[in-house]
Amino acid sequence: MAISNAALEKLIREIESQAAAAEQQISLSRAQVTSKQREIRLLKLTLEELSGVSQKTPTYEGVGKMFVSVPPPKLCEKLRSQVKTLEGDVESLGKRLVYLETTRKNSREHIDKMLKQAPVKGLGAN
């Protein structure tokens, strides 16, 4: 069962576009992971600073352009909740990165395999 050059070329271009899309998604996911990790570090630093504050110290939370008084225990609980949410996001992005990197790797391997089996005129190796 031989595949025509036109069909093979079309298939290779389709796989190349999938690999390129995966590469873009990998870059985006890595940037999101970095951003979320930065937020986690900032929240943990804030929690660390709040741990040294007495329960009666007035603390404030930014809401839009104003600040609202919030008791330290409530503020700490909210920050812990945000850390947990962000850590879950980082974990899911890590899984997505593994999937995307596998997709990119498999796409490249399929292209190489097809080019080795039946070289197509006019297509350069990428």
Side-chain angles (χ1 to χ4, degrees), residues 20-91:
E23 187 68 42
Q24 288 175 337
Q25 291 297 314
I26 287 170
S27 297
L28 179 64
S29 293
R30 285 184 180 154
Q32 289 174 336
V33 165
T34 302
S35 173
K36 289 185 185 297
Q37 287 174 335
R38 188 178 316 116
E39 276 187 69
I40 289 171
R41 284 192 307 271
L42 182 61
L43 290 171
K44 286 184 177 180
L45 179 62
T46 303
L47 278 168
E48 186 179 313
E49 291 294 321
L50 284 174
S51 69
V53 172
S54 85
Q55 299 294 326
K56 294 181 181 182
T57 302
T59 55
Y60 299 89
E61 177 182 16
V63 180
K65 292 184 175 182
M66 63 181 199
F67 293 92
V68 177
S69 179
V70 179
K74 187 174 180 181
L75 184 59
C76 287
E77 187 57 38
K78 183 175 182 178
L79 294 175
R80 283 189 201 97
S81 172
Q82 289 176 351
V83 167
K84 281 185 180 181
T85 301
L86 288 171
E87 286 173 343
D89 291 348
V90 167
E91 185 177 329

Side-chain angles (χ1 to χ4, degrees), residues 86-120:
L86 288 171
E87 286 173 343
D89 291 348
V90 167
E91 185 177 329
S92 65
L93 283 169
K95 290 176 184 177
R96 179 171 167 77
L97 270 171
V98 169
Y99 168 77
L100 290 169
E101 288 171 347
T102 303
T103 300
R104 179 186 60 186
K105 178 181 169 234
N106 289 341
S107 295
R108 291 294 174 205
E109 287 175 358
H110 288 309
I111 290 171
D112 292 342
K113 188 177 179 181
M114 282 190 276
L115 289 175
K116 286 178 184 175
Q117 288 179 354
V120 178

